[in-house]
Amino acid sequence: MTEREGVITFQGKPLTLIGPAIQPGSEAPHFTLTANDLSDLRCDTYRDKIRVLSVVPSLDTPVCATQTRTFNQRATQLSNDVVVLTISMDLPFAQKRFCGAEGIERVITASDYKHRSFGPAYGVLIKELGLLTRAVFVLDRRNKVVHVEYVPEVTHEPNYDAALAAVKAAT
C-alpha cells in the first residue's frame, strides 16, 4: 500500500497517509462503510446522486463537529439529488447520538471502523493514529471525482465554498 509522508500535519507534526492521492477526473474508488443501523453502505448506494464525502477524524472533536454542522446547514440549500456523507472511524452508535444531539438531518454519517476500506482507498488513513484525516471529495452521478481537498493541517476546516461550487458544477 502506498504511504505518503508529510502530506498533512496534526498540530504542526507531519503524519503519514496510507493510500493513493485521489485526483479530480479519476473514477471514485469503491468502499463499504457501516451505516448507523449497522448495515453496509457502499459507494454505489447513492450512485444516481451527487455525493459529498466529508471526512473527519472524530465527531467528538470541535472542528469535526463544526464541519458536520456546517455541511448539514449548507446542504439545506442543495437539491435532493445531492447526498452529504460524513465519514469517520467513530462507532455508528456514537455517530447516531451526535446527529440526534446536534439536530443533523441532511448529513448521513457512516463509519469506516468495521471494513476499513474507505481510508486506504481514498488515501485518508493516518498511519500513526489509525484515524481518517480531514478531507472532502465530491463525486458526480457517473462516479467521477470532481473535487478533492486533503486539508493540510488536521485541526483546520475544509474549504466549504470550493466543495459546494463543485457540487453546483456537477448538477
Side-chain angles (χ1 to χ4, degrees), residues 64-134:
C64 298
T66 296
Q67 181 173 331
T68 304
R69 283 192 303 266
T70 300
F71 272 120
N72 185 67
Q73 187 275 324
R74 305 266 312 254
T76 63
Q77 302 164 4
L78 303 173
S79 77
N80 289 332
D81 289 339
V82 179
V83 173
V84 180
L85 296 170
T86 290
I87 302 165
S88 72
M89 286 288 197
D90 294 311
L91 292 176
F93 311 113
Q95 292 176 334
K96 185 175 182 178
R97 186 173 51 252
F98 171 85
C99 290
E102 295 287 337
I104 304 297
E105 297 177 350
R106 279 284 279 146
V107 168
I108 298 165
T109 54
S111 179
D112 199 27
Y113 91 98
K114 181 178 177 184
H115 300 286
R116 297 185 186 262
S117 66
F118 182 84
Y122 281 75
V124 294
L125 180 61
I126 302 172
K127 178 180 179 178
E128 294 85 353
L129 302 177
L131 297 171
L132 305 179
T133 194
R134 189 173 317 286

XYZ file of all heavy atoms in Angstrom, residues 64-134:
554
model
N -14.327 18.789 13.860
C -15.121 17.785 13.135
C -16.611 18.038 13.326
O -17.397 17.918 12.389
C -14.767 16.378 13.612
S -13.041 15.943 13.314
N -16.990 18.414 14.541
C -18.391 18.744 14.799
C -18.808 19.964 13.992
O -19.888 19.984 13.385
C -18.594 18.982 16.297
N -17.941 20.973 13.943
C -18.230 22.174 13.162
C -18.360 21.836 11.679
O -19.279 22.307 11.003
C -17.131 23.233 13.373
O -17.150 23.625 14.746
C -17.338 24.443 12.480
N -17.465 21.022 11.165
C -17.508 20.633 9.754
C -18.837 19.937 9.434
O -19.484 20.233 8.434
C -16.333 19.717 9.418
C -16.273 19.282 7.968
C -15.001 18.505 7.655
O -13.966 18.714 8.277
N -15.075 17.616 6.686
N -19.265 19.040 10.292
C -20.503 18.306 10.061
C -21.711 19.226 10.174
O -22.616 19.174 9.333
C -20.603 17.123 11.037
O -19.424 16.312 10.868
C -21.840 16.284 10.769
N -21.728 20.093 11.167
C -22.840 21.047 11.303
C -22.895 21.999 10.112
O -23.975 22.326 9.613
C -22.702 21.840 12.607
C -23.101 21.065 13.839
C -23.219 21.972 15.067
N -22.014 22.718 15.367
C -21.064 22.333 16.219
N -21.178 21.187 16.860
N -20.013 23.086 16.437
N -21.726 22.446 9.649
C -21.685 23.377 8.517
C -22.210 22.717 7.255
O -23.045 23.302 6.542
C -20.256 23.911 8.300
O -19.836 24.588 9.493
C -20.190 24.866 7.117
N -21.758 21.507 6.954
C -22.281 20.818 5.762
C -23.774 20.530 5.916
O -24.531 20.612 4.953
C -21.498 19.543 5.461
C -20.302 19.770 4.582
C -19.028 19.450 5.018
C -20.436 20.308 3.306
C -17.917 19.656 4.204
C -19.341 20.527 2.478
C -18.077 20.194 2.935
N -24.227 20.220 7.123
C -25.648 19.977 7.344
C -26.454 21.238 7.030
O -27.461 21.184 6.319
C -25.892 19.544 8.787
C -27.324 19.177 9.038
O -27.831 18.197 8.516
N -28.006 19.965 9.856
N -25.990 22.376 7.521
C -26.690 23.643 7.286
C -26.648 24.027 5.813
O -27.658 24.399 5.221
C -26.066 24.737 8.155
C -26.799 26.068 8.132
C -26.390 26.950 6.964
O -25.226 26.969 6.549
N -27.336 27.660 6.412
N -25.491 23.894 5.194
C -25.356 24.291 3.786
C -26.108 23.332 2.861
O -26.546 23.717 1.788
C -23.879 24.369 3.396
C -23.030 25.265 4.281
C -22.790 26.690 3.913
N -22.380 27.051 2.615
C -21.163 27.448 2.257
N -20.185 27.464 3.144
N -20.922 27.836 1.033
N -26.267 22.079 3.291
C -26.978 21.086 2.465
C -28.457 21.415 2.334
O -29.103 20.969 1.382
C -26.793 19.688 3.044
N -28.991 22.211 3.252
C -30.401 22.583 3.144
C -30.655 23.432 1.906
O -31.795 23.541 1.459
C -30.891 23.349 4.400
O -30.160 24.570 4.515
C -30.717 22.505 5.660
N -29.606 24.012 1.349
C -29.721 24.841 0.150
C -29.506 24.029 -1.125
O -29.573 24.571 -2.221
C -28.713 25.986 0.215
C -28.882 26.858 1.441
C -27.673 27.739 1.695
O -26.725 27.769 0.921
N -27.698 28.465 2.799
N -29.238 22.732 -0.979
C -28.972 21.870 -2.127
C -30.203 21.037 -2.463
O -31.055 20.797 -1.615
C -27.784 20.946 -1.820
C -26.478 21.638 -1.442
C -25.442 20.605 -1.006
C -25.955 22.476 -2.601
N -30.245 20.574 -3.708
C -31.372 19.743 -4.129
C -31.279 18.358 -3.486
O -30.243 17.972 -2.945
C -31.390 19.611 -5.650
O -30.410 18.684 -6.075
N -32.350 17.607 -3.591
C -32.369 16.238 -3.065
C -31.530 15.291 -3.910
O -31.413 14.117 -3.569
C -33.798 15.730 -2.948
C -34.547 16.420 -1.829
O -33.939 16.863 -0.852
N -35.852 16.526 -1.959
N -30.965 15.795 -5.002
C -30.066 14.997 -5.842
C -28.641 14.991 -5.295
O -27.744 14.427 -5.908
C -30.047 15.521 -7.281
C -31.339 15.227 -8.009
O -32.066 14.315 -7.589
O -31.616 15.917 -9.005
N -28.441 15.651 -4.156
C -27.120 15.721 -3.535
C -27.200 15.045 -2.162
O -28.092 15.336 -1.368
C -26.646 17.177 -3.365
C -25.272 17.232 -2.704
C -26.633 17.901 -4.712
N -26.256 14.137 -1.916
C -26.164 13.451 -0.631
C -24.830 13.830 0.008
O -23.787 13.772 -0.651
C -26.228 11.913 -0.819
C -25.962 11.195 0.488
C -27.566 11.512 -1.386
N -24.886 14.229 1.274
C -23.669 14.547 2.016
C -23.449 13.439 3.041
O -24.310 13.176 3.878
C -23.769 15.915 2.720
C -22.474 16.209 3.487
C -24.079 17.025 1.725
N -22.299 12.792 2.937
C -21.906 11.756 3.888
C -20.755 12.278 4.737
O -19.770 12.781 4.184
C -21.429 10.496 3.167
C -22.414 9.736 2.303
C -21.696 8.669 1.498
C -23.468 9.096 3.170
N -20.867 12.164 6.051
C -19.729 12.429 6.916
C -19.178 11.076 7.325
O -19.896 10.233 7.849
C -20.129 13.248 8.157
O -20.448 14.569 7.737
C -18.989 13.310 9.163
N -17.895 10.880 7.054
C -17.247 9.582 7.253
C -16.143 9.731 8.300
O -15.306 10.629 8.200
C -16.665 9.069 5.922
C -17.775 8.963 4.876
C -15.942 7.742 6.122
C -17.284 8.818 3.442
N -16.170 8.827 9.279
C -15.134 8.807 10.314
C -14.949 7.371 10.785
O -15.628 6.461 10.323
C -15.537 9.700 11.496
O -16.592 9.107 12.236
N -14.037 7.191 11.732
C -13.844 5.884 12.364
C -14.708 5.732 13.612
O -14.671 4.703 14.269
C -12.369 5.688 12.757
C -11.457 5.428 11.595
S -11.729 3.785 10.935
C -10.231 3.596 9.985
N -15.486 6.765 13.945
C -16.368 6.678 15.113
C -17.321 5.508 14.963
O -17.742 5.168 13.848
C -17.197 7.960 15.258
C -16.360 9.183 15.579
O -15.528 9.101 16.493
O -16.557 10.210 14.910
N -17.699 4.906 16.084
C -18.687 3.840 16.032
C -20.032 4.399 15.585
O -20.373 5.549 15.894
C -18.829 3.184 17.400
C -17.618 2.397 17.884
C -17.851 1.880 19.298
C -17.300 1.248 16.940
N -20.816 3.615 14.853
C -22.124 4.083 14.384
C -23.029 4.579 15.512
O -23.793 5.525 15.326
C -22.723 2.852 13.701
C -21.535 2.056 13.273
C -20.501 2.282 14.341
N -22.934 3.974 16.696
C -23.754 4.406 17.833
C -23.408 5.843 18.229
O -24.287 6.645 18.526
C -23.551 3.475 19.028
C -23.670 2.019 18.674
C -22.569 1.189 18.732
C -24.885 1.475 18.260
C -22.667 -0.151 18.398
C -24.997 0.138 17.920
C -23.886 -0.686 17.989
N -22.117 6.146 18.256
C -21.672 7.495 18.606
C -22.093 8.493 17.530
O -22.500 9.619 17.838
C -20.157 7.524 18.794
N -22.003 8.085 16.262
C -22.428 8.963 15.175
C -23.917 9.280 15.281
O -24.331 10.426 15.132
C -22.120 8.319 13.820
C -20.644 8.215 13.529
C -20.370 7.489 12.221
O -21.157 6.670 11.756
N -19.235 7.800 11.623
N -24.720 8.255 15.541
C -26.167 8.447 15.661
C -26.486 9.367 16.840
O -27.339 10.256 16.736
C -26.848 7.094 15.836
C -28.353 7.162 15.854
C -28.953 5.769 15.906
C -30.471 5.824 15.875
N -31.060 4.487 15.879
N -25.815 9.171 17.956
C -26.024 10.007 19.140
C -25.660 11.465 18.829
O -26.389 12.391 19.185
C -25.202 9.470 20.304
C -25.444 10.162 21.626
C -24.735 9.493 22.804
N -23.322 9.243 22.587
C -22.775 8.039 22.389
N -23.520 6.955 22.364
N -21.476 7.914 22.222
N -24.519 11.673 18.138
C -24.088 13.021 17.768
C -25.147 13.692 16.898
O -25.529 14.834 17.140
C -22.749 12.965 17.024
C -22.347 14.278 16.417
C -21.684 15.226 17.169
C -22.628 14.564 15.092
C -21.321 16.452 16.615
C -22.276 15.779 14.527
C -21.617 16.726 15.291
N -25.636 12.989 15.888
C -26.629 13.565 14.970
C -27.904 13.940 15.711
O -28.491 14.995 15.456
C -26.934 12.598 13.831
S -25.561 12.426 12.678
N -28.338 13.089 16.629
C -29.530 13.393 17.406
C -29.341 14.612 18.288
O -30.203 15.491 18.355
N -28.213 14.692 18.950
C -27.934 15.806 19.862
C -27.755 17.124 19.121
O -28.108 18.186 19.634
C -26.685 15.500 20.694
N -27.214 17.068 17.899
C -26.905 18.275 17.134
C -27.988 18.647 16.115
O -27.863 19.646 15.424
C -25.564 18.094 16.393
C -24.376 17.967 17.314
C -23.995 19.277 17.970
O -24.327 20.360 17.451
O -23.355 19.217 19.047
N -29.027 17.826 15.982
C -30.081 18.110 15.004
C -29.613 17.949 13.563
O -30.090 18.649 12.669
N -28.694 17.023 13.333
C -28.165 16.778 11.991
C -29.189 15.953 11.216
O -29.485 14.815 11.583
C -26.813 16.033 12.054
C -25.797 16.802 12.902
C -26.289 15.728 10.660
C -25.407 18.152 12.377
N -29.739 16.536 10.145
C -30.775 15.863 9.371
C -30.443 15.702 7.897
O -30.994 14.832 7.237
C -32.103 16.608 9.522
C -32.613 16.613 10.955
C -33.887 17.415 11.126
O -34.282 18.125 10.182
O -34.479 17.322 12.212
N -29.569 16.546 7.364
C -29.255 16.483 5.932
C -27.928 15.784 5.648
O -27.572 15.566 4.499
C -29.212 17.894 5.340
C -30.553 18.454 5.017
C -31.171 17.871 3.754
N -30.621 18.516 2.584
C -30.416 17.905 1.420
N -30.698 16.661 1.267
N -29.906 18.554 0.403
N -27.187 15.449 6.680
C -25.924 14.725 6.530
C -26.137 13.307 7.034
O -26.755 13.096 8.066
C -24.794 15.418 7.328
C -23.564 14.530 7.425
C -24.425 16.755 6.690
N -25.630 12.353 6.277
C -25.672 10.951 6.674
C -24.297 10.594 7.212
O -23.294 10.824 6.534
C -26.027 10.059 5.465
C -27.413 10.424 4.944
C -25.938 8.577 5.838
C -27.715 9.868 3.570
N -24.241 10.068 8.421
C -22.950 9.655 8.966
C -22.735 8.174 8.682
O -23.672 7.381 8.675
C -22.850 9.927 10.478
O -23.950 9.323 11.145
C -22.824 11.422 10.767
N -21.487 7.837 8.439
C -21.107 6.451 8.163
C -19.709 6.216 8.722
O -18.883 7.125 8.763
C -21.137 6.178 6.663
N -19.468 4.981 9.135
C -18.211 4.644 9.801
C -17.358 3.684 8.979
O -17.877 2.759 8.353
C -18.508 4.007 11.159
O -17.310 3.659 11.809
N -16.051 3.901 9.040
C -15.086 3.015 8.386
C -14.462 2.054 9.395
O -13.507 1.359 9.093
C -13.995 3.861 7.703
C -13.222 3.100 6.628
O -13.784 2.158 6.031
O -12.057 3.457 6.394
N -15.015 2.002 10.624
C -14.413 1.197 11.691
C -14.381 -0.296 11.366
O -13.437 -0.989 11.716
C -15.146 1.424 13.021
C -16.277 0.446 13.259
C -16.095 -0.683 14.059
C -17.511 0.616 12.648
C -17.123 -1.596 14.248
C -18.533 -0.287 12.839
C -18.339 -1.395 13.629
O -19.346 -2.305 13.799
N -15.413 -0.812 10.710
C -15.570 -2.258 10.518
C -14.793 -2.782 9.310
O -13.977 -3.691 9.429
C -17.054 -2.586 10.370
C -17.361 -4.058 10.200
C -18.871 -4.241 10.107
C -19.250 -5.670 9.870
N -20.713 -5.807 9.701
N -15.047 -2.206 8.150
C -14.439 -2.720 6.917
C -13.081 -2.091 6.611
O -12.270 -2.682 5.911
C -15.378 -2.503 5.727
C -16.697 -3.189 5.895
N -16.841 -4.543 5.769
C -17.927 -2.704 6.203
C -18.105 -4.868 5.979
N -18.782 -3.770 6.252
N -12.879 -0.886 7.096
C -11.626 -0.140 6.870
C -11.214 -0.134 5.392
O -10.042 -0.266 5.054
C -10.510 -0.683 7.750
C -10.817 -0.510 9.225
C -9.685 -0.933 10.127
N -10.115 -0.869 11.511
C -9.851 0.155 12.327
N -9.164 1.165 11.904
N -10.275 0.129 13.564
N -12.214 0.033 4.536
C -11.938 0.062 3.100
C -11.850 1.483 2.561
O -11.168 1.730 1.570
C -13.012 -0.718 2.331
O -14.277 -0.075 2.428
N -12.532 2.421 3.206
C -12.562 3.790 2.702
C -11.211 4.482 2.873
O -10.683 5.059 1.925
C -13.656 4.611 3.404
C -13.746 6.010 2.892
C -14.487 6.295 1.754
C -13.067 7.045 3.516
C -14.557 7.586 1.253
C -13.130 8.341 3.032
C -13.880 8.612 1.898
N -10.663 4.448 4.076
C -9.419 5.164 4.366
C -8.287 4.869 3.402
O -7.739 5.784 2.780
N -7.929 3.599 3.221
C -6.848 3.290 2.286
C -7.221 3.554 0.817
O -6.363 3.926 0.027
C -6.590 1.801 2.504
C -7.228 1.451 3.799
C -8.326 2.438 4.020
N -8.490 3.380 0.456
C -8.902 3.591 -0.943
C -8.822 5.063 -1.336
O -8.488 5.391 -2.473
C -10.323 3.071 -1.160
N -9.120 5.956 -0.388
C -9.135 7.393 -0.673
C -7.887 8.114 -0.151
O -7.789 9.331 -0.241
C -10.403 8.035 -0.098
C -11.599 7.776 -0.993
C -12.211 6.534 -1.025
C -12.084 8.765 -1.845
C -13.284 6.277 -1.863
C -13.154 8.518 -2.683
C -13.747 7.277 -2.682
O -14.805 7.025 -3.534
N -6.938 7.355 0.386
C -5.681 7.944 0.841
C -5.842 8.859 2.032
O -5.130 9.856 2.153
N -6.764 8.511 2.953
C -7.026 9.367 4.107
C -6.758 8.688 5.451
O -6.997 9.285 6.504
C -8.477 9.922 4.091
C -8.681 10.875 2.922
C -9.504 8.801 4.078
N -6.249 7.479 5.445
C -5.960 6.778 6.695
C -4.624 7.276 7.253
O -3.589 7.195 6.594
C -5.908 5.267 6.484
C -5.616 4.426 7.728
C -6.687 4.630 8.796
C -5.502 2.954 7.339
N -4.668 7.811 8.476
C -3.455 8.307 9.126
C -2.761 7.128 9.801
O -3.287 6.549 10.751
C -3.768 9.400 10.169
C -4.502 10.570 9.524
C -2.467 9.873 10.836
C -5.015 11.604 10.524
N -1.581 6.787 9.305
C -0.839 5.626 9.792
C -0.587 5.694 11.297
O -0.801 4.731 12.020
C 0.482 5.516 9.032
C 1.356 4.373 9.472
C 2.645 4.338 8.658
C 3.546 3.211 9.107
N 4.771 3.158 8.294
N -0.137 6.828 11.763
C 0.268 6.963 13.158
C -0.912 6.952 14.140
O -0.737 6.634 15.312
C 1.061 8.265 13.361
C 2.390 8.302 12.655
C 2.303 8.764 11.190
O 1.168 8.931 10.664
O 3.361 8.960 10.572
N -2.104 7.312 13.691
C -3.246 7.460 14.596
C -4.361 6.434 14.378
O -5.221 6.270 15.238
C -3.843 8.871 14.466
C -2.898 10.042 14.743
C -3.610 11.366 14.497
C -2.358 9.965 16.156
N -4.384 5.789 13.213
C -5.467 4.865 12.915
C -6.793 5.563 12.702
O -7.852 4.939 12.769
N -6.759 6.860 12.457
C -7.947 7.659 12.184
C -7.911 8.161 10.751
O -6.881 8.056 10.074
C -8.005 8.873 13.134
C -8.122 8.577 14.623
C -7.955 9.858 15.433
C -9.454 7.915 14.931
N -9.012 8.726 10.296
C -9.058 9.330 8.969
C -8.683 10.795 9.091
O -9.034 11.458 10.061
C -10.462 9.196 8.374
C -11.024 7.779 8.300
C -12.429 7.796 7.703
C -10.111 6.851 7.522
N -7.977 11.301 8.078
C -7.636 12.709 8.078
C -8.811 13.521 7.549
O -9.739 12.985 6.939
C -6.370 12.986 7.239
O -5.904 14.312 7.538
C -6.620 12.866 5.743
N -8.750 14.815 7.756
C -9.807 15.709 7.267
C -9.654 15.896 5.760
O -8.589 16.260 5.258
C -9.706 17.065 7.981
C -10.883 17.978 7.701
C -10.825 19.231 8.566
N -10.459 18.958 9.950
C -11.255 18.401 10.864
N -12.475 18.033 10.537
N -10.815 18.201 12.095
